[in-house]
Amino acid sequence: MLYSNLFPKTLKTTSSEESKNAELLVKAGFVDKVMAGVYTWLPLGLRVLRKVENIIRDEMNNLGAQEVLLPSMHPKENWQKTHRWKTLDVLYKIKSQTGKEIALGPTHEEIITPLVGKFTNSYKDLPVALYQIQTKFRDELRAKSGVLRGREFGMKDLYSFHKSEKGLEGYYPDVIKAYHQIFSRCGLDAVMTTAPGGGFTSGGYSDEFQVVSPTGEDKIYVCKKCKRAYNEEVKITKCECGAFLDKKAKNAIEVGNSFKLGAKFSDAFKLDYVDVKGKKKRAVMGCYGIGTTRLVGAIVERFNDKNGIIWPKNVAPFYAHLLKLGDNKKVSKVAEGLYAKLRRAGVDVLYDDRIDAQAGEKFADADLIGIPLRLVVSERTLKKDSVEWKERSKKDSKNVKLEKTTKEVEKWISK
Ligand code: ATP
Ligand code: MG
């Protein structure tokens, strides 16, 4: 991609943004704020969001879950069946011109449970796991954390349906494993946070996945030894592994969670099946969410410095940011040649080909955008037949021989 063609360019200033992620994502041209909690994803931002989604998709498919796409417009009756039409404060309700009321989906138990019910007859139809990556709508009171808390936002939601609680208990740890994989592939160290004392009978058991960050809205106590965490309401001092918890609570961002729902929704929609002995039984459910747009925000909150964003390699909009300095003919020719060679090798590269921008401006933009590898071609580097190689997360730069650069980049990507 040529930077001169990229829509839009970085901003010099931003109106005072409420949070670090919004400030950086807006300034660097990844998102545009339309109103509180509502953002447009611009080309750079969408590249990151798609990478995050594809990591999640990959892990969900590995888990054996199948992807679906449920609607955002939901019939009122479904929400009345679970009583959430009245009780869910964040539910957006709209009326058609004929007076018919519908809900804008904030979550999808009310759609997926009757869907699976429609196609489930016998024990042979279970277990089944379905997921989607889709836009959710919630009438959040406070939407002041940039993309961390949207009123319209992206979520991956997985729902599993089992013959019994035993089936759910067996499946649940596999989802937890997949979740750890997802967050670590996104460069994040997410800690699993439990609210002990939960259980099917006390209204559901849940685990949250939290990324420690000073800007997080949640507070958690992390175990010094096994890295499990407990949420704020918990008045315990020891972890289940026996080690002591941190005395001080840490701020954290909830990037995902998982619920053992039991029969809460299968009761509401009478999701039954006939077991081996011909007896009617009620199915048992789990649901598991990850905020995809929030995850992008959490990555930015976690990886930035005073100059801008520092994208982890797997989710960066491009792997390499190639800068040409000056308007010397030879420099242009070499830079263009390298750009072509990198692209032929399948390396996603953003090439700052501008002739009207000074070196300082190009460096500042590169730091702000935060692509993990910066390659500079200038008269100075050409004297040594080299390219300046600098990783965004490191202080020092080095010179790499021009003819070896593409190979070195490929090696660095696969590392
Ligand atoms: P929170 O406590 O932060 O409001 P929640 O408990 O309401 O989250 P869920 O309903 O379980 O969250 O949604 C699943 C995931 O979706 C959350 O773990 C979070 O990552 C994401 N999420 C929830 N609400 C929002 C929002 N308003 N904007 C962006 N992401 C969200
Ligand atoms: Mg919420």
Side-chain angles (χ1 to χ4, degrees), residues 1-244:
M1 173 92 212
L2 297 180
Y3 188 78
S4 57
N5 288 343
L6 180 68
F7 177 85
K9 303 292 184 282
T10 57
L11 299 175
K12 297 289 167 263
T13 51
T14 48
S15 54
S16 67
E17 286 301 336
E18 61 240 11
S19 63
K20 196 79 203 163
N21 72 84
E23 180 197 318
L24 290 172
L25 287 169
V26 168
K27 201 169 173 206
F30 285 70
V31 302
D32 178 61
K33 185 169 162 181
V34 178
M35 58 180 171
V38 180
Y39 289 84
T40 294
W41 288 78
L42 297 164
L44 279 181
L46 193 57
R47 277 178 165 262
V48 176
L49 185 60
R50 292 286 183 251
K51 286 203 170 171
V52 165
E53 289 172 352
N54 284 337
I55 288 172
I56 296 174
R57 185 171 275 122
D58 189 43
E59 294 295 337
M60 289 297 107
N61 293 345
N62 280 344
L63 198 59
Q66 298 172 67
E67 187 168 3
V68 292
L69 184 58
L70 304 169
S72 291
M73 295 168 77
H74 300 182
K76 178 182 182 179
E77 300 73 55
N78 294 37
W79 285 85
Q80 283 173 320
K81 276 207 176 122
T82 59
H83 307 290
R84 294 208 284 186
W85 180 265
K86 280 232 168 74
T87 57
L88 196 63
D89 48 3
V90 297
L91 189 66
Y92 275 112
K93 300 163 184 171
I94 55 176
K95 228 185 218 160
S96 78
Q97 53 179 327
T98 59
K100 191 176 161 60
E101 286 183 291
I102 60 163
L104 285 184
T107 178
H108 280 73
E109 288 83 2
E110 273 78 356
I111 300 296
I112 197 117
T113 316
L115 171 75
V116 171
K118 204 185 257 182
F119 297 101
T120 299
N121 301 307
S122 90
Y123 66 94
K124 290 178 194 151
D125 299 319
L126 297 174
V128 65
L130 303 172
Y131 77 97
Q132 63 169 345
I133 296 172
Q134 194 230 25
T135 303
K136 302 282 191 246
F137 300 88
R138 290 187 187 180
D139 192 359
E140 301 278 2
L141 271 187
R142 296 159 299 121
K144 288 197 159 145
S145 315
V147 300
L148 292 180
R149 185 169 297 284
R151 296 202 167 103
E152 175 177 339
F153 61 94
M155 195 203 286
K156 181 285 299 173
D157 39 332
L158 164 72
Y159 305 87
S160 68
F161 298 82
H162 308 269
K163 291 189 278 288
S164 63
E165 292 193 0
K166 208 172 133 211
L168 173 59
E169 291 294 341
Y171 182 74
Y172 195 83
D174 294 343
V175 181
I176 300 300
K177 228 198 248 159
Y179 269 35
H180 279 300
Q181 267 305 102
I182 289 167
F183 298 123
S184 112
R185 285 176 67 180
C186 290
L188 291 171
D189 193 9
V191 289
M192 189 160 137
T193 306
T194 307
F200 287 113
T201 46
S202 60
Y205 171 97
S206 77
D207 291 297
E208 294 167 349
F209 291 80
Q210 299 272 2
V211 172
V212 171
S213 162
T215 50
E217 286 180 13
D218 295 356
K219 284 211 184 314
I220 59 169
Y221 294 89
V222 184
C223 170
K224 287 182 166 53
K225 198 170 148 208
C226 74
K227 290 275 175 75
R228 250 185 111 90
Y230 296 84
N231 72 17
E232 200 181 17
E233 293 107 65
V234 177
K235 298 282 181 287
I236 58 166
T237 52
K238 263 187 161 176
C239 176
E240 30 168 72
C241 80
F244 283 101

Side-chain angles (χ1 to χ4, degrees), residues 131-398:
Y131 77 97
Q132 63 169 345
I133 296 172
Q134 194 230 25
T135 303
K136 302 282 191 246
F137 300 88
R138 290 187 187 180
D139 192 359
E140 301 278 2
L141 271 187
R142 296 159 299 121
K144 288 197 159 145
S145 315
V147 300
L148 292 180
R149 185 169 297 284
R151 296 202 167 103
E152 175 177 339
F153 61 94
M155 195 203 286
K156 181 285 299 173
D157 39 332
L158 164 72
Y159 305 87
S160 68
F161 298 82
H162 308 269
K163 291 189 278 288
S164 63
E165 292 193 0
K166 208 172 133 211
L168 173 59
E169 291 294 341
Y171 182 74
Y172 195 83
D174 294 343
V175 181
I176 300 300
K177 228 198 248 159
Y179 269 35
H180 279 300
Q181 267 305 102
I182 289 167
F183 298 123
S184 112
R185 285 176 67 180
C186 290
L188 291 171
D189 193 9
V191 289
M192 189 160 137
T193 306
T194 307
F200 287 113
T201 46
S202 60
Y205 171 97
S206 77
D207 291 297
E208 294 167 349
F209 291 80
Q210 299 272 2
V211 172
V212 171
S213 162
T215 50
E217 286 180 13
D218 295 356
K219 284 211 184 314
I220 59 169
Y221 294 89
V222 184
C223 170
K224 287 182 166 53
K225 198 170 148 208
C226 74
K227 290 275 175 75
R228 250 185 111 90
Y230 296 84
N231 72 17
E232 200 181 17
E233 293 107 65
V234 177
K235 298 282 181 287
I236 58 166
T237 52
K238 263 187 161 176
C239 176
E240 30 168 72
C241 80
F244 283 101
L245 300 178
D246 272 348
K247 280 217 170 62
K248 249 189 99 193
K250 287 193 167 88
N251 284 73
I253 302 166
E254 182 197 310
V255 285
N257 60 22
S258 48
F259 292 91
K260 294 177 187 170
L261 293 168
K264 191 170 161 190
F265 292 92
S266 31
D267 278 346
F269 292 97
K270 304 200 171 24
L271 204 180
D272 296 329
Y273 69 95
V274 177
D275 75 4
V276 195
K277 292 177 188 143
K279 241 177 94 187
K280 202 162 97 178
K281 291 260 175 70
R282 192 131 289 176
V284 167
M285 272 176 77
C287 76
Y288 321 83
I290 292 181
T292 52
T293 46
R294 179 180 289 187
L295 199 49
V296 174
I299 294 168
V300 175
E301 292 286 343
R302 174 74 185 72
F303 301 106
N304 68 76
D305 63 14
K306 65 180 194 324
N307 299 321
I309 308 170
I310 309 169
W311 293 108
K313 199 160 52 179
N314 284 347
V315 298
F318 292 92
Y319 284 119
H321 197 155
L322 174 63
L323 271 59
K324 152 180 106 158
L325 301 189
D327 194 22
N328 171 305
K329 269 218 174 77
K330 171 121 194 271
V331 169
S332 294
K333 203 169 155 234
V334 169
E336 256 127 61
L338 181 58
Y339 175 55
K341 203 168 163 201
L342 285 167
R343 288 176 65 209
R344 273 201 303 278
V347 178
D348 267 345
V349 48
L350 181 63
Y351 171 35
D352 194 341
D353 58 329
R354 288 176 294 175
I355 44 175
D356 55 350
Q358 296 298 309
E361 189 180 348
K362 291 191 176 184
F363 285 133
D365 280 341
D367 278 352
L368 177 61
I369 294 170
I371 292 168
L373 176 61
R374 190 187 76 192
L375 301 171
V376 175
V377 178
S378 67
E379 281 184 55
R380 199 156 59 90
T381 68
L382 287 192
K383 276 194 190 124
K384 293 184 203 143
D385 269 329
S386 298
V387 169
E388 188 208 54
W389 171 297
K390 180 171 178 306
E391 290 170 40
R392 181 65 180 86
S393 60
K394 292 186 179 157
K395 249 192 134 60
D396 301 320
S397 63
K398 63 179 181 189

